[in-house]
Amino acid sequence: MFPELSVGSHFLNDFLVKSGAAILCGGLIGIERELKKKPAGFRTNILICLGSTYFMMVSILVGASGMGKTGDPGRIAAQVVTGIGFIGAGTIIQSRGHIAGLTTAALIWVVASVGLFIGAGYMIPAAVGTLLIFLTLTVLGMGERKILSRCRTFDCLVVFADDGGKTRKQITRLLASYEKSLENLQFKTTNGSITLTLQYCDSHAEHRKLLSDLWMIEGVQEVRPLR
């Protein structure tokens, strides 16, 4: 028989406070992810933080209750770290030679650590950790994109009218202004229209502007990124 755990008002208050802290910390980080339309968004980060908080609380309760032997809260915490790693691994995808989801996987892992802090009763480190995570995602994220980010190139299909070369000349002039190589451009004529597949950078706003500039050319019928 398991010894009965006395769940009094003190435990209930502690449970509610820690649950609220987990929701706030996970939600704050989740809002940033939700705004960027990432896989692990608002609710996901709240659930991750809540789950790791509850696991830590359970491990502490088991250790305090005895249950016939001394419990070690660190064992369940270690299993949380392992388990959350599998969830994070599931967010990493590989497509067209590009790996995506590493930041989301790392975020899931670190949000779980915030939950463990909360579950163990260390509210101040949890709050500071949440702030640091949020600043890393926002402030450092902007700096990384502007200074350190490499260009990620994707194919883009451009369809324009066959008007005797007028539109084609404007497109090649625009590409030259973006310092695009014109040597390997391949134009195909289909049903009275000409199609061109070119590469563009999706990492920097000034490079993505190429797509809107292409739309501004008279005679262009379609600009469709192939992702």
Side-chain angles (χ1 to χ4, degrees):
M1 294 292 293
F2 293 107
E4 183 179 354
L5 296 177
S6 59
V7 181
S9 59
H10 175 72
F11 172 80
L12 183 59
N13 290 336
D14 184 60
F15 177 82
L16 292 176
V17 169
K18 290 179 178 178
S19 296
I23 291 172
L24 286 175
C25 291
L28 177 62
I29 298 169
I31 287 174
E32 190 275 341
R33 295 283 87 186
E34 195 74 40
L35 291 175
K36 292 183 178 178
K37 303 186 183 301
K38 298 297 182 179
F42 182 67
R43 291 181 299 171
T44 302
N45 279 285
I46 288 177
L47 291 174
I48 291 170
C49 201
L50 271 176
S52 55
T53 297
Y54 292 162
F55 276 121
M56 193 63 181
M57 293 181 71
V58 167
S59 66
I60 293 174
L61 284 173
V62 170
S65 67
M67 299 185 69
K69 51 185 168 181
T70 303
D72 180 11
R75 293 182 62 186
I76 294 183
Q79 296 305 312
V80 170
V81 174
T82 302
I84 211 70
F86 283 101
I87 298 177
T91 67
I92 301 174
I93 59 173
Q94 192 273 344
S95 176
R96 299 190 181 209
H98 298 283
I99 297 177
L102 288 174
T103 300
T104 299
L107 181 66
I108 289 173
W109 186 56
V110 76
V111 168
S113 70
V114 172
L116 293 176
F117 263 132
I118 295 171
Y122 297 102
M123 296 297 183
I124 294 179
V128 174
T130 300
L131 179 61
L132 291 175
I133 295 169
F134 186 80
L135 291 176
T136 299
L137 292 172
T138 54
V139 178
L140 294 184
M142 290 186 293
E144 180 186 27
R145 286 190 295 273
K146 290 183 178 180
I147 301 174
L148 302 177
S149 180
R150 296 180 178 178
C151 287
R152 294 187 308 162
T153 57
F154 296 93
D155 289 337
C156 179
L157 182 68
V158 182
V159 182
F160 57 95
D162 187 0
D163 54 3
K166 179 181 177 181
T167 303
R168 175 172 174 171
K169 185 180 297 184
Q170 293 184 61
I171 291 175
T172 54
R173 187 182 301 137
L174 175 64
L175 295 177
S177 70
Y178 276 86
E179 299 182 354
K180 294 283 187 181
S181 174
L182 306 178
E183 296 179 359
N184 299 322
L185 294 181
Q186 296 183 354
F187 297 88
K188 296 181 180 179
T189 303
T190 307
N191 299 326
S193 296
I194 301 177
T195 61
L196 166 66
T197 302
L198 54 85
Q199 288 192 323
Y200 76 101
C201 168
D202 189 53
S203 301
H204 305 88
E206 61 271 21
H207 293 170
R208 290 196 300 269
K209 187 175 180 293
L210 170 64
L211 302 188
S212 60
D213 287 344
L214 284 168
W215 268 118
M216 297 297 293
I217 297 177
E218 185 178 357
V220 171
Q221 301 168 343
E222 182 180 7
V223 178
R224 177 160 52 92
L226 303 176
R227 299 182 59 177

